[in-house]
Amino acid sequence: IFSHKSSSVAVSIVARKLPTTTMWMSKLLVAALCAQTSSAGWVYSGNTNAAEGDNAVVLGGDSNQASATNGLVGGGSANQVSEKATCAVIGGGGSNVNTGEYATVAAGRKNRAYSNYATVSGGYLNRASGRFAHVPGGSRNTAGGRYSMATGFNALALGDYSGALGFKADGSSPCLSRGDETLTICADTVDIQATLLIDGEELVTSRALAETNDDLRQEIAILKEDMLAMRKQLAQLMQ
């Protein structure tokens, strides 16, 4: 089966048990019709899908729409690559929208990529609205700054080159990162089992302090013994 769909032409030819000459003539006819169309999109399978942009593709699923030039919807349901989102992709999932050029929504539900080169990998109700912004997953996260990243639950990274990691169970208040080049972590406890460096210098941790305290205790005990010995010597001299 060879099919082609555009705004001006819809052609479908089934080459089944046709003479060789007739089959080749049919293919040539379809190729000629396709060459004359100004908008050529391809729908390979599924139900009520539409590929309206030049070289746009919908591979399958239901009620998907690829309106941008070179836009792609892999599958899922009710996904939309908007007209201005050149070379944008929605992999699957449901009710996702991509309006950014070269942007990506991999999967999930009700996710949005609003800016160029933005990415939402999955999850639910996530937004990537800054250029080169990224939401790896989770729910209700927004990466709004350029090169920003937000993940977890209800995390908002609004500054450029910023990050927000929302790991609070209640999530009643957003984990908000406003400043540029700022990383905000929202959690009840942050357990870092490693040596921390700041500008290349080791940060003193509670573990390091405990080890230092042990050394100080040993030194104090030695000093006490030395002082006791000096007192004994002093007492002998005074006799």
Side-chain angles (χ1 to χ4, degrees):
I1 299 175
F2 185 87
S3 63
H4 176 272
K5 182 178 179 181
S6 71
S7 58
S8 58
V9 176
V11 179
S12 179
I13 293 178
V14 180
R16 184 181 299 127
K17 297 182 181 179
L18 292 176
T20 302
T21 303
T22 305
M23 182 175 64
W24 280 108
M25 289 179 63
S26 301
K27 290 183 177 181
L28 290 173
L29 174 61
V30 171
L33 289 171
C34 292
Q36 294 176 359
T37 62
S38 60
S39 178
W42 302 88
V43 175
Y44 285 90
S45 65
N47 184 39
T48 62
N49 295 313
E52 300 171 349
D54 291 344
N55 300 316
V57 174
V58 177
L59 296 178
D62 176 69
S63 302
N64 295 310
Q65 185 175 0
S67 301
T69 299
N70 297 320
L72 170 64
V73 178
S77 176
N79 297 308
Q80 182 179 3
V81 174
S82 70
E83 183 178 356
K84 296 182 179 180
T86 303
C87 297
V89 174
I90 296 178
S95 302
N96 299 306
V97 175
N98 194 335
T99 63
E101 294 182 358
Y102 301 94
T104 301
V105 177
R109 183 166 179 263
K110 292 187 176 182
N111 296 311
R112 305 287 187 266
Y114 286 133
S115 190
N116 298 347
Y117 308 100
T119 300
V120 178
S121 298
Y124 175 67
L125 284 176
N126 295 309
R127 306 286 185 272
S129 54
R131 283 200 172 196
F132 307 98
H134 182 209
V135 178
S139 177
R140 301 180 186 275
N141 301 301
T142 298
R146 292 180 303 143
Y147 299 95
S148 63
M149 188 272 289
T151 192
F153 177 63
N154 204 14
L156 280 70
L158 303 182
D160 293 343
Y161 304 92
S162 67
L165 310 179
F167 300 127
K168 294 283 286 185
D170 55 10
S172 56
S173 299
C175 181
L176 179 59
S177 178
R178 292 191 182 92
D180 295 345
E181 301 180 19
T182 301
L183 175 62
T184 301
I185 302 175
C186 302
D188 288 335
T189 303
V190 179
D191 183 6
I192 301 176
Q193 301 181 16
T195 299
L196 299 181
L197 301 179
I198 296 180
D199 290 334
E201 298 294 331
E202 183 175 351
L203 178 68
V204 177
T205 62
S206 59
R207 180 176 62 185
L209 288 174
E211 293 174 353
T212 302
N213 289 338
D214 290 339
D215 293 339
L216 289 174
R217 291 190 186 97
Q218 293 178 3
E219 292 180 3
I220 291 172
I222 293 172
L223 288 174
K224 286 182 177 180
E225 292 178 358
D226 292 342
M227 289 180 64
L228 182 59
M230 291 177 63
R231 286 177 182 174
K232 289 181 179 180
Q233 292 178 1
L234 182 60
Q236 291 176 356
L237 291 173
M238 294 179 63
Q239 289 179 354

